[in-house]
Amino acid sequence: VNRFEIRLDPAELGRIDVRLEIDEEGSVTARLTVDRVETLALLQRDARTLERAFEQAGLKAAEGSVDLTLRDPSSQDREGRSSQE
């Protein structure tokens, strides 16, 4: 498993969880889950740029290959409580 971190500047943009899936043919799917509505809006505006970056890296990025979602605050609360127990 390969992992990487993205540091956002300014830090107030929150955390982004990134999951990349690349199949044998080189097709890529990116799933980004963000903490803040403002960050989601910025990423939605620039999703096509990310798809082009995948293509420039030699990957096949179809329209809609970038899935952007807002983290469910209630699931984050459950995760925080379970890790503290």
Side-chain angles (χ1 to χ4, degrees), residues 11-12 16 18 30 35 37 43 49 54 56 58-59 62 65 68 76:
E12 292 79 25
I16 299 176
V18 179
D35 285 341
V37 173
L43 288 171
T49 303
F54 288 142
Q56 290 173 351
L59 300 169
S65 63
L68 303 165
Q76 193 173 20

Side-chain angles (χ1 to χ4, degrees), residues 13-67:
L13 289 173
R15 187 178 78 188
I16 299 176
D17 291 333
V18 179
R19 181 177 179 156
L20 290 177
E21 296 178 9
I22 304 170
D23 67 17
E24 296 82 27
E25 289 87 36
S27 296
V28 64
T29 302
R31 290 183 177 86
L32 290 81
T33 305
V34 301
D35 285 341
R36 302 184 46 91
V37 173
E38 298 85 356
T39 307
L40 180 63
L42 290 170
L43 288 171
Q44 286 172 331
R45 185 189 71 201
D46 293 330
R48 184 62 193 134
T49 303
L50 182 55
E51 290 172 355
R52 280 193 298 262
F54 288 142
E55 291 168 358
Q56 290 173 351
L59 300 169
K60 298 174 190 168
E63 182 80 24
S65 63
V66 177
D67 178 33

